[in-house]
Amino acid sequence: MKTFNIFNKRKQEALPVVDQTQLQQAEALGLFDAGWYQQQYGQKFASSADAFQDYLHKSRFAPVHPSPAFDGESYHRMYMDVFYDQQSPLFHYLKNGKQEGRQHVPLTPRWVPNSRMPLDIPLSEAASQLKMAICLHVFYEDFIDRFAEALNDMPINVDVLLTLAAGVDETRARKTFSRHACVSRVETRRVPNRGRNFGPLLVEYADQLEDYDLFCHLHSKKSLYSGREQTQWADYLTEFLLRDKSVVKRALNAFAADDTLGLYYPTTFWMMPSWVNHQTMNKGFMREWQESLEIEHVNDFLSYPAGGMFWARPMALKGIADRVWKYEDFPEEPLPNDGSQLHALERVLGAQAENLGYRQFFYHPSSGDFTADQSYITASYHGSIEQHLPAIQSHQIISFDVFDTLVRREFTVADYAKLKLGKWLVEQGVVTSAHDFVALRNKAEFTLRKRASFQGDIRIDAIYDELADVLKVTKDVAQGWMKREFELDLAMIQPKDEMVELFNHLGSSGHVLWVISDTYYTRDQVGLMLRKAGVAAAYRLMVSSEEGKRKDSGTMWAMVKEDLANEHGRSHLHIGDNVVADAQRPGDMGLVCFHILHPMDKWRALGMPDVLNGKDALDEAQILKWGALVSQIGRNPFIGE
Amino acid sequence: MKNTRQALREFGASFMGPAFLVYAKEVEAKGAGRVPVCLAREGWCFERLLSHLNAHGHIELEYAPRYLKVSRTLLFRANLGHDYLWPLALANDFEGSMLDLMRKRFGLQMHEAFSVLPVELLQMQIKLPEQQSDAIMWLEPHVPRLKALVAPTLQGVMAYLAALGLKTGPQPMMLDLGYSGTIQKLLTRMLERDTHGLYYVTTKQSGNQHGAGVATLEGVFRENASWGDGFQMLDRSLLFESLMTAPHGQVVDVREDSDGGFEFCYGRQAATQRHFQDLQQVFDGAIEQVATWMADEVTFTSEEVEQMYESFTTRQGAIPQCAWHLFFVDDDFSGNGILNPLALFNI
């Protein structure tokens, strides 16, 4: 719900030294249970102190728990200062938290995989024979030692294929890994700053990857998500891809035992925004990848190695890992925070593996389980409005999106009203095909947007004026069609009942309410739709067609931010279903957002049939068949509400 | 923030609607020359579904559907003591005392059991189906007393079947969820005529002779399915069974009054009966959706229905909270009492 500034500078390299007093205190309070910890996370320790040390190390960046009596993730989420400070939750509680009156809760799993992979912890004979390359891209020199240290417990010998950015000491890198007990061969390449981590990997080593059963790719680049270094994310990935010997052995066993497993990575970093497992701003680039790799369809929410670090069977990335690449194939820096060929490449890896018939599997650090269950990608959307109400109500100004947030369409599909109008125009003899009409109408809209250099937004009456020229009718006639399109849509508008109730409840409890929509409809038209949906509380209505600004481009949010500056410090929260327009864009600008699931996203998250895609999206028979079901299941935006 | 009525209606539409649609069309397709007989308890909503669709011209049924208040327990009681009953009545899992078996599976009250069976026998522990032959052997000496005890029930059921006109006229088409057609087989014998059964799922397709009649079973979504094979419409059918029930619960006895009317006795009520007003919303939502789909000529394949059911019954959170209290089922038949399938399947 909030775009957290989650990452801080790495505080310490060495493992924390176990304080015997703290261990005794933790055990006396029943907050650390070495036996339980060992069983939960599948690792044998020589002593309770060793187990406690392992916990203290991992819990700084991962949701591991010391016992059923203490939920480390909850503690970090409740006390973000502890998280930002990269302290172990239990360590903090014992040292300061208890005295400060901070609370802790018993272990409360946020997600439980629906299937587990029971993997042996001792390395299997087959796994010990795997030929593996570790492909490391080093941008920051300090990662040479960190990666080398992470390889200390690697249960098989590996080849290390390094790509080194300018300024990284090649001699040191070569020396460090050459002397490493687990490394058979080291290769180094000095590389330009192009293609982020993927460019160097693919340009330098794509021709070698097929010589290996597996390759593991990590990189050192510290992303500056939300302006802060993400070392905890890197620590998380390094831990569960390389460093944790129990996890590594089990993952190797899985690959050795099952040829259909193609890609492995830990579940997405737990403190990332809820919508991170989404195509976000990369849809256009994703389409390009899909076309070149012949992937028919990729859902908006998808499982991918967020952070670009993973293990793969080279055959599972055929089409990517076996191509001849050159640096010119990758975009030049500077690249945006999101929305590039490289951001899309990261997201297409899992889809391509599945496209080739392979499966992805994951390590879930909280439960200590391996699983192929992908439902973790929408786990943060489980719950109910009631659960979130206190957090929502704590803000004084609350803005809502309109479509699929406050209102829904009876058949979900936004263009169905246009298709209905098209059918009517066919009956009138104006056009010969309803689908052609929808295409013409949308083209007229696009023409206007293009004419305005995609700045601001346009109104529906302007679209129909344009259409009048295209179809050679008077503007009055075209405006009549415009009215009919709106009426057809209005007739299908229904409330998202629980959300409307929330809206009205917030209004009656004194909150300032804003409604912000990207739409070609006029303010009056949107107002009428909201009235039909039972939105009764007083609200300020901002629609892109009238304001000349859009949420999805960020211009609307700039205006909102300016307006908020005049609100004397009253806090603001925005609620909406569009990942980019309602969460990512405002989040990037420092606005607090609460993302809810679009009906189709909820439908897919529940594993319902793959419907209303491609040509089916505007097939009336398909709309009538599935559209209502999607709308009904998606009415409440929470899973398990 | 709970929109319960709307939530229940829309849950009904999505959870039950697609299967209702396919099933209703199949009833129409197979209904020529047959009278649809909706077997309690699942039949309660089938009867309303079919009557609504028929009345509004969405389907055409040659004969109006009828709701038949019967249950396995009632028919087991009515036929208690007859040789042909044992394979049907003692084949399902059960573990407990003979007294429990008599109470839970054959609907005897305690005093009835003690009036016809020796205490020593009632105290004996039994495990079915393993000890089926033992049970038959133990009960055999007491058959005349058992038959005499249940004679009023048998007479009541026979009179009830006759009063509904099922013994003559068009062939009955028994409608139920499934699975092995025990009720249909017993009714076939009691009606002394051929019957057709149309189920969601059958575990064993058959056209077996039962007395003077042949019971033919047909599964709409799957036939010859086996428990535990991963087909969730069977393996997790308890979820459909929980909802597809009647406001009166299970019929355990029927007596013919002296004026020709009938008095029914019902078993204990599960949460679905106590909250029937909510279940009514679920049914209404589903029926309304089916009618809309039929008007729009929408069809679903069996595979689509199965996939949706699998999603609802295997994904945590797919079944909304507004309906959680409806998922209880009386499984006294197996000695399990009231079951909560959501807890059972960890969803």
Side-chain angles (χ1 to χ4, degrees):
Chain A
M1 78 176 278
K2 187 179 174 188
T3 312
F4 296 112
N5 289 326
I6 51 175
F7 298 107
N8 209 335
K9 287 197 172 182
R10 186 177 175 84
K11 285 270 167 124
Q12 53 194 103
E13 293 298 329
L15 294 180
V17 177
V18 172
D19 179 332
Q20 285 295 336
T21 313
Q22 277 213 331
L23 172 58
Q24 286 164 8
Q25 196 187 355
E27 287 182 328
L29 290 169
L31 300 181
F32 183 72
D33 181 338
W36 180 88
Y37 184 78
Q38 186 167 287
Q39 191 174 20
Q40 180 85 346
Y41 299 114
Q43 202 166 348
K44 282 198 164 41
F45 298 98
S47 65
S48 292
D50 285 354
F52 194 53
Q53 178 156 323
D54 186 79
Y55 165 74
L56 292 179
H57 163 66
K58 287 177 184 161
S59 59
R60 291 180 296 115
F61 52 80
V64 293
H65 312 283
S67 72
F70 190 95
D71 190 307
E73 180 174 352
S74 294
Y75 196 85
H76 263 156
R77 288 187 186 277
M78 280 192 287
Y79 305 115
M80 292 301 289
D81 58 318
V82 181
F83 179 76
Y84 292 146
D85 211 29
Q86 300 199 46
Q87 291 199 50
S88 160
L90 182 55
F91 178 86
H92 179 271
Y93 179 72
L94 296 172
K95 194 177 171 198
N96 301 314
K98 193 163 177 284
Q99 275 185 324
E100 293 165 3
R102 302 207 194 197
Q103 303 297 310
H104 69 85
V105 296
L107 177 56
T108 316
R110 283 161 179 74
W111 176 74
V112 178
N114 66 22
S115 62
R116 295 179 170 87
M117 295 165 67
L119 299 169
D120 287 337
I121 296 170
L123 194 71
S124 69
E125 177 61 28
S128 70
Q129 303 298 319
L130 290 170
K131 192 177 176 199
M132 183 158 171
I134 308 286
C135 305
L136 303 172
H137 176 59
V138 180
F139 189 87
Y140 293 107
E141 192 169 311
D142 59 313
F143 271 77
I144 293 174
D145 292 334
R146 290 171 60 169
F147 284 146
E149 184 265 330
L151 280 173
N152 281 348
D153 286 326
M154 178 59 65
I156 58 172
N157 274 17
V158 296
D159 291 350
V160 172
L161 309 178
L162 291 163
T163 51
L164 308 172
V168 176
D169 187 338
E170 188 169 2
T171 309
R172 185 179 158 220
R174 183 176 286 280
K175 198 183 285 182
T176 301
F177 287 103
S178 300
R179 288 176 180 170
H180 200 291
C182 299
V183 177
S184 303
R185 183 173 78 87
V186 180
E187 197 163 333
T188 57
R189 303 278 174 86
R190 192 163 284 292
V191 297
N193 184 23
R194 187 148 175 175
R196 298 267 169 111
N197 56 304
F198 285 118
L201 168 74
L202 295 171
V203 173
E204 304 296 340
Y205 293 120
D207 60 338
Q208 295 189 33
L209 295 179
E210 63 182 6
D211 297 337
Y212 294 91
D213 297 312
L214 288 177
F215 74 96
C216 170
H217 176 56
L218 282 89
H219 60 100
S220 71
K221 199 163 181 175
K222 302 171 187 173
S223 300
L224 296 173
Y225 183 83
S226 299
R228 303 176 86 153
E229 286 186 358
Q230 297 187 30
T231 62
Q232 284 167 301
W233 188 4
D235 289 343
Y236 175 89
L237 292 170
T238 306
E239 185 71 27
F240 300 115
L241 286 168
L242 278 190
R243 194 178 174 281
D244 186 314
K245 63 182 174 189
S246 163
V247 170
V248 168
K249 282 180 188 174
R250 281 184 281 170
L252 287 170
N253 286 345
F255 273 116
D258 189 342
D259 288 344
T260 68
L261 295 175
L263 204 59
Y264 157 72
Y265 44 93
T267 50
T268 305
F269 186 63
W270 53 298
M271 273 290 191
M272 297 294 282
S274 55
W275 41 266
V276 72
N277 299 296
H278 190 277
Q279 292 194 31
T280 59
M281 296 185 193
N282 302 292
K283 285 192 172 184
F285 294 108
M286 284 293 284
R287 266 195 297 277
E288 289 174 17
W289 281 111
Q290 283 173 241
E291 280 166 22
S292 73
L293 296 170
E294 296 179 351
I295 302 174
E296 199 170 318
H297 176 71
V298 180
N299 285 340
D300 284 349
F301 273 89
L302 73 171
S303 186
Y304 71 98
M309 307 193 206
F310 56 90
W311 289 23
R313 203 184 286 281
M315 288 296 287
L317 295 184
K318 214 165 177 290
I320 299 172
D322 61 343
R323 261 169 65 175
V324 177
W325 292 92
K326 48 189 189 304
Y327 284 105
E328 292 71 34
D329 293 331
F330 298 95
E332 278 188 281
E333 296 287 351
L335 289 174
N337 278 346
D338 192 25
S340 74
Q341 181 199 21
L342 288 164
H343 290 99
L345 174 57
E346 183 183 16
R347 284 167 170 79
V348 87
L349 295 175
Q352 173 62 354
E354 290 173 2
N355 187 40
L356 294 170
Y358 291 91
R359 292 188 298 146
Q360 306 188 67
F361 71 110
F362 321 100
Y363 179 67
H364 182 231
S366 179
S367 65
D369 288 318
F370 277 87
T371 182
D373 177 10
Q374 299 191 7
S375 64
Y376 76 87
I377 63 175
T378 48
S380 56
Y381 296 95
H382 283 246
S384 66
I385 291 175
E386 283 77 10
Q387 283 175 316
H388 297 282
L389 194 56
I392 293 170
Q393 284 180 314
S394 68
H395 299 274
Q396 286 88 42
I397 302 171
I398 302 168
S399 58
F400 285 73
D401 170 51
V402 175
F403 296 99
D404 295 310
T405 296
L406 284 172
V407 306
R408 55 180 170 148
R409 291 178 165 103
E410 186 180 356
F411 297 97
T412 307
V413 176
D415 274 1
Y416 189 33
K418 299 171 194 170
L419 188 68
K420 282 186 161 191
L421 174 60
K423 284 177 67 179
W424 182 76
L425 290 174
V426 169
E427 287 169 19
Q428 307 303 308
V430 177
V431 293
T432 54
S433 155
H435 285 88
D436 288 351
F437 170 76
V438 177
L440 271 180
R441 183 252 178 254
N442 288 343
K443 191 179 172 192
E445 183 178 337
F446 182 77
T447 302
L448 291 177
R449 290 185 189 283
K450 196 173 172 187
R451 205 174 289 157
S453 304
F454 299 99
Q455 299 299 305
D457 209 339
I458 43 120
R459 282 171 45 139
I460 190 170
D461 42 9
I463 297 171
Y464 275 84
D465 279 350
E466 177 72 16
L467 208 52
D469 294 341
V470 175
L471 288 173
K472 311 275 187 260
V473 295
T474 67
K475 286 192 167 34
D476 282 348
V477 168
Q479 288 302 313
W481 300 345
M482 180 276 286
K483 192 165 172 249
R484 190 153 181 84
E485 181 191 319
F486 170 68
E487 289 166 351
L488 288 165
D489 211 6
L490 180 66
M492 292 189 284
I493 286 292
Q494 297 178 341
K496 293 193 78 169
D497 307 80
E498 290 86 349
M499 295 301 292
V500 170
E501 192 183 343
L502 169 68
F503 188 92
N504 290 335
H505 165 77
L506 292 170
S508 61
S509 56
H511 290 80
V512 174
L513 298 173
W514 293 354
V515 174
I516 310 174
S517 179
D518 275 353
T519 180
Y520 40 76
Y521 285 131
T522 65
R523 204 186 312 270
D524 287 343
Q525 287 170 325
V526 175
L528 194 51
M529 286 175 161
L530 292 171
R531 177 175 289 164
K532 189 193 172 197
V535 171
Y539 60 90
R540 173 188 172 194
L541 180 55
M542 291 174 258
V543 295
S544 57
S545 61
E546 306 277 7
E547 309 290 349
K549 301 174 191 309
R550 285 186 65 87
K551 291 191 293 181
D552 61 6
S553 69
T555 51
M556 182 79 88
W557 297 117
M559 185 185 86
V560 167
K561 215 170 168 186
E562 280 173 23
D563 290 358
L564 286 171
N566 300 321
E567 290 292 336
H568 313 293
R570 290 198 286 183
S571 70
H572 165 253
L573 173 77
H574 177 70
I575 302 174
D577 72 291
N578 187 293
V579 165
V580 173
D582 293 314
Q584 191 175 17
R585 284 289 193 200
D588 284 347
M589 299 176 77
L591 297 169
V592 183
C593 306
F594 181 32
H595 181 251
I596 59 171
L597 281 181
H598 183 278
M600 187 55 92
D601 291 331
K602 183 176 176 184
W603 171 269
R604 288 180 181 137
L606 294 176
M608 294 295 175
D610 194 14
V611 300
L612 300 176
N613 284 320
K615 59 180 171 45
D616 285 352
L618 213 55
D619 178 334
E620 187 170 30
Q622 293 295 310
I623 293 170
L624 292 171
K625 176 174 177 174
W626 296 109
L629 285 175
V630 175
S631 175
Q632 288 159 356
I633 285 177
R635 183 201 65 258
N636 189 316
F638 293 93
I639 297 172
E641 83 284 6
Chain B
M1 306 307 145
K2 290 191 185 303
N3 191 276
T4 306
R5 179 178 175 274
Q6 192 69 13
L8 287 166
R9 291 179 73 85
E10 296 193 3
F11 169 64
S14 54
F15 184 64
M16 310 186 84
F20 271 9
L21 175 71
V22 175
Y23 190 69
K25 287 189 171 187
E26 198 65 12
V27 171
E28 181 186 36
K30 300 286 164 58
R34 294 174 176 144
V35 57
V37 179
C38 306
L39 303 181
R41 294 171 281 181
E42 289 90 327
W44 194 87
C45 52
F46 282 159
E47 193 272 336
R48 270 144 193 79
L49 169 74
L50 297 171
S51 297
H52 180 92
L53 297 177
N54 202 31
H56 290 80
H58 297 301
I59 56 174
E60 281 185 31
L61 296 175
E62 195 174 336
Y63 299 99
R66 294 173 201 184
Y67 178 55
L68 183 63
K69 282 186 187 177
V70 289
S71 69
R72 280 190 298 188
T73 304
L74 172 68
L75 296 185
F76 285 177
R77 179 187 167 97
N79 291 282
L80 187 56
H82 294 277
D83 289 346
Y84 57 78
L85 181 68
W86 301 133
L88 295 172
L90 300 176
N92 290 79
D93 289 347
F94 183 88
E95 195 165 356
S97 67
M98 282 295 286
L99 176 61
D100 285 341
L101 183 73
M102 288 295 113
R103 283 179 52 240
K104 293 175 175 177
R105 189 157 291 186
F106 297 96
L108 301 192
Q109 293 167 292
M110 262 181 69
H111 68 270
E112 290 180 320
F114 278 102
S115 72
V116 293
L117 297 172
V119 176
E120 295 77 13
L121 173 58
L122 291 171
Q123 287 175 339
M124 289 175 75
Q125 295 295 305
I126 183 132
K127 189 174 184 193
L128 295 176
E130 292 86 342
Q131 288 183 274
Q132 188 180 130
S133 55
D134 291 343
I136 296 169
M137 183 177 68
W138 297 341
L139 290 168
E140 198 57 46
H142 312 289
V143 158
R145 284 195 299 282
L146 286 169
K147 283 185 176 175
L149 174 74
V150 300
T153 301
L154 180 59
Q155 188 275 329
V157 174
M158 295 302 291
Y160 176 52
L161 296 174
L164 285 181
L166 297 180
K167 297 191 78 171
T168 55
Q171 186 193 50
M173 180 165 64
M174 311 291 189
L175 308 183
D176 202 348
L177 267 182
Y179 306 89
S180 57
T182 305
I183 294 177
Q184 185 194 345
K185 288 168 186 170
L186 284 169
L187 287 172
T188 302
R189 183 175 293 275
M190 296 168 86
L191 294 170
E192 298 180 317
R193 60 187 308 205
D194 294 350
T195 62
H196 195 92
L198 196 61
Y199 302 92
Y200 270 21
V201 179
T202 58
T203 46
K204 205 178 282 180
Q205 193 182 10
S206 63
N208 292 337
Q209 192 78 34
H210 292 275
V214 172
T216 304
L217 281 74
E218 194 175 352
V220 172
F221 297 104
R222 199 168 291 202
E223 295 181 321
N224 297 317
S226 298
W227 295 93
D229 278 359
F231 174 55
Q232 304 302 351
M233 283 184 76
L234 182 61
D235 288 352
R236 299 199 168 185
S237 56
L238 272 182
L239 289 147
F240 259 159
E241 286 178 47
S242 299
L243 294 192
M244 295 181 66
T245 188
H248 49 65
Q250 180 173 232
V251 186
V252 294
D253 206 350
V254 54
R255 300 297 172 107
E256 186 178 15
D257 294 334
S258 53
D259 64 355
F262 295 96
E263 199 62 51
F264 291 91
C265 301
Y266 304 104
R268 72 170 148 179
Q269 294 200 335
T272 32
Q273 275 84 41
R274 291 198 300 277
H275 300 286
F276 204 80
Q277 75 284 357
D278 291 346
L279 196 54
Q280 186 74 50
Q281 295 299 331
V282 175
F283 290 155
D284 287 352
I287 291 169
E288 189 178 295
Q289 181 63 69
V290 171
T292 305
W293 275 328
M294 284 191 163
D296 290 333
E297 299 180 351
V298 167
T299 57
F300 285 87
T301 64
S302 292
E303 291 73 23
E304 288 167 344
V305 173
E306 287 172 13
Q307 190 183 347
M308 288 198 67
Y309 190 74
E310 181 164 342
S311 293
F312 271 118
T313 57
T314 58
R315 301 284 176 134
Q316 286 189 343
I319 293 175
Q321 282 188 34
C322 67
W324 287 1
H325 63 295
L326 300 175
F327 284 93
F328 289 91
V329 67
D330 180 355
D331 194 34
D332 248 4
F333 186 83
S334 302
N336 294 321
I338 301 286
L339 291 179
N340 175 356
L342 295 180
L344 190 68
F345 300 130
N346 190 30
I347 50 172

